[in-house]
Every structure is written in C-alpha cells, then in structure tokens.
C-alpha cells in the first residue's frame, strides 16, 4: 500500500467547449474633474435615492458651539455614473512563420539582456536547429521571450519539436517552444451601463482640505436622516486637480 499524502490542486478546470472562448474582464478608467467626488454605497437603493434627489446641502461645520450664521453649507449635485462596456469583441489572429515563443525559462540571477544574449547565441546555431536571429524581446510580465529569425523555414521545425534543452551556466534547462500569435482588434462594440451603487457629486467648493472634505462628505452621506446609507468607498478631487477612477467588475 502507498503512504497517505495530502495534495492540493491549484490548476483550473474548464469545459472543452469553452476552450475557444475569450473572457473579458473590464477595467474602465473614468476621469474625475476638480470639485467632484465618487461615492460608492453598499446598497444600490441608497445610491438611487441620492441621484433622484439631485441636489444636496452638505453641512461643512459640525461644531455645536457655532452660531447659525457661522455655519457653512455647500450645495452639491448628484448624478448617476454611466460607463461604456464592451459587449462584443472580435480579434484577428496572425501566425508569423519566422517567430517562436520561448517559455519555461529558468529564474537565474542574471540581467535580462544577458539571458537574451544567451538565447540569441543558442538559437542562431544551425546545430541547434536555429538560424540568424533578427530580433528578441521579453513579453511584459510573462517570463517569455519572442525570437524572430531572419529566414523563413527556421521556426516551424523548432515549433514541431516543442521542447529543447539548453545549457545556461552550469545547468541544463528544458525550454518550451510554441508558435507566436499576434492579434489585432477587428471589431469592438460598446454598450452603456449604469453603476448601480456609485454616485457622482459635482460642484464641491474648495473651502476645506482634502481629508477634511472627504470625511465631511462621507459623514453626510452615511446618515440615513439625509437619505444616505453605509458608504463603501469615497474618492474626492479638489478644485484645480484631476483624477482617474478605475472601475472593475462588481463581484457582488
């Protein structure tokens, strides 16, 4: 009998029918002008009520000792946040007959340029099945290298092999060779989508510091007596500045 051993599967299971499908994860950048704020509530109905009210009077001084004439108030406008999300996407793929993708590269304590030099030297030799290399580059954040040869007919035999052993320093490593596909967006359709829990506030005067104003707005719109509710996040941009908010898919 074999000894018991606990194992954890960290891979990804998918249906065979889904292999040719592309999953889009939208990440929308939304410009925020000065004097505005984005408020995301925990409940969509709260955000809807804030938008329907349109204008809100925010108390900027919360001291009980202040006289009525000394209190400062600001009128801010609330509006929905509408984004354009991709609804259909078509990508045209092209296969280069002179390019290969090299992966399973070892993690060595050497600069990238040195590793690229070693790869170019190895794959430029005919005894290794290669030829003269025209260009080489690392793919961003992938640990993979794209090699392009000068002549046709060099890449296909290497791709057919699938793997090749290469001596780097004192170690011999098994590198994976794959075809290199490049894609261009041929068609992109967008559809408007309203954020159910986020509200855009505009017309915010520059009378407090950034942090005090952000706290004041959050205090105001958290109070149920003013039609608010629990605030999830709040981003405030003072007058004279610009900001960019990044929207991702709502997991909830």
């Amino acid at each position: 009998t074999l000894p018991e051993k606990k194992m954890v599967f960290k891979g990804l299971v998918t249906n065979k029918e889904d292999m040719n499908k592309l999953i889009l994860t939208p990440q929308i950048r939304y410009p925020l002008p000065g004097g505005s704020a984005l408020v995301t509530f925990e409940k969509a109905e709260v955000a809807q009520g804030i938008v329907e009210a349109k204008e809100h009077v925010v108390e900027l001084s919360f001291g009980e000792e202040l006289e009525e004439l000394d209190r400062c108030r600001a009128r801010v406008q609330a509006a929905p946040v509408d984004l354009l999300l991709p609804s259909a996407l078509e990508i045209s793929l092209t296969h280069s007959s002179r390019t290969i993708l090299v992966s399973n590269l070892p993690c060595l304590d050497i600069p990238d340029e040195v590793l690229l030099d070693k790869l170019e030297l190895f794959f430029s030799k005919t005894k290794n099945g290669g030829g003269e290399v025209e260009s080489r580059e690392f793919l961003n954040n992938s640990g993979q290298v794209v090699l392009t040869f000068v002549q046709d007919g060099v890449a296909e035999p290497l791709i057919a092999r699938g793997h090749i052993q290469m001596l780097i320093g004192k170690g011999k490593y098994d590198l994976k060779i794959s075809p290199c596909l490049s894609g261009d967006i041929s068609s992109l359709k967008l559809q408007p989508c309203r954020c159910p829990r986020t509200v855009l506030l505009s017309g915010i005067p520059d009378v407090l510091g950034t942090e005090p104003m952000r706290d004041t707005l959050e205090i105001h719109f958290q109070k149920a007596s003013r039609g608010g509710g629990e605030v999830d996040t709040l981003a405030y941009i003072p007058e004279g500045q610009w900001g960019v908010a990044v929207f991702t898919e709502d997991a909830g």
Side-chain angles (χ1 to χ4, degrees):
T1 58
L2 295 175
E4 292 186 2
K5 184 178 181 180
K6 293 184 178 180
M7 303 183 71
V8 178
F9 175 71
K10 294 184 178 180
L12 176 65
V13 177
T14 185
N15 295 325
K16 185 178 180 180
E17 294 77 16
D18 297 334
M19 291 296 290
N20 293 324
K21 292 182 179 179
L22 179 66
I23 299 176
L24 291 177
T25 303
Q27 189 180 74
I28 309 299
R29 299 182 180 275
Y30 187 87
L32 273 179
S36 66
L38 282 178
V39 187
T40 300
F41 296 93
E42 290 189 355
K43 295 183 178 180
E45 54 266 27
V46 175
Q48 184 178 352
I50 296 295
V51 170
E52 290 176 353
K54 294 184 179 181
E55 188 175 80
H56 299 265
V57 178
V58 179
E59 189 84 43
L60 300 182
S61 300
F62 291 92
E64 293 293 336
E65 69 280 357
L66 293 178
E67 297 293 336
E68 183 68 23
L69 294 177
D70 294 329
R71 295 182 182 273
C72 183
R73 298 179 177 88
R75 294 182 180 273
V76 300
Q77 286 71 44
V81 176
D82 294 320
L83 304 175
L84 287 176
L85 296 180
S87 59
L89 174 66
E90 291 183 4
I91 299 178
S92 59
L93 296 177
T94 56
H95 173 224
S96 174
S97 60
R98 298 188 294 115
T99 305
I100 63 173
L101 183 67
V102 182
S103 55
N104 285 353
L105 295 172
C107 296
L108 303 175
D109 191 17
I110 58 175
D112 289 347
E113 283 299 318
V114 174
L115 181 57
L116 288 175
D117 289 340
K118 293 182 179 297
L119 289 171
E120 180 176 353
L121 182 61
F122 178 84
F123 282 99
S124 64
K125 295 180 178 180
T126 55
K127 68 177 183 179
N128 297 326
E132 184 180 349
V133 176
E134 181 181 277
S135 63
R136 77 274 171 94
E137 66 171 326
F138 265 103
L139 290 181
N140 292 335
N141 303 320
S142 69
Q144 299 174 327
V145 171
V146 175
L147 293 178
T148 302
F149 297 99
V150 174
Q151 297 179 338
D152 290 328
V154 179
E156 273 73 9
L158 289 172
I159 293 171
R161 292 174 63 174
H163 292 81
I164 193 169
Q165 286 192 335
M166 175 180 172
L167 185 66
I168 305 178
K170 297 181 180 180
K172 184 176 287 188
Y173 302 94
D174 188 40
L175 307 183
K176 183 179 179 181
I177 304 176
S178 308
C180 186
L181 299 175
S182 59
D184 293 314
I185 296 178
S186 57
S187 176
L188 175 61
K189 296 181 180 179
L190 302 174
Q191 66 178 8
C193 177
R194 177 160 294 181
C195 295
R197 299 189 298 118
T198 303
V199 175
L200 174 64
L201 303 177
S202 59
I204 304 173
D206 188 15
V207 293
L208 293 177
T210 302
E211 284 300 315
M213 178 62 80
R214 194 188 70 83
D215 293 341
T216 298
L217 291 171
E218 187 167 349
I219 290 172
H220 176 89
F221 287 100
Q222 275 197 151
K223 294 187 176 182
S225 60
R226 296 187 173 115
E230 195 68 31
V231 174
D232 193 354
T233 58
L234 190 148
Y236 163 64
I237 304 297
E239 284 283 356
Q241 300 182 25
W242 281 87
V244 176
V246 179
F247 286 84
T248 58
E249 189 174 4
D250 193 349

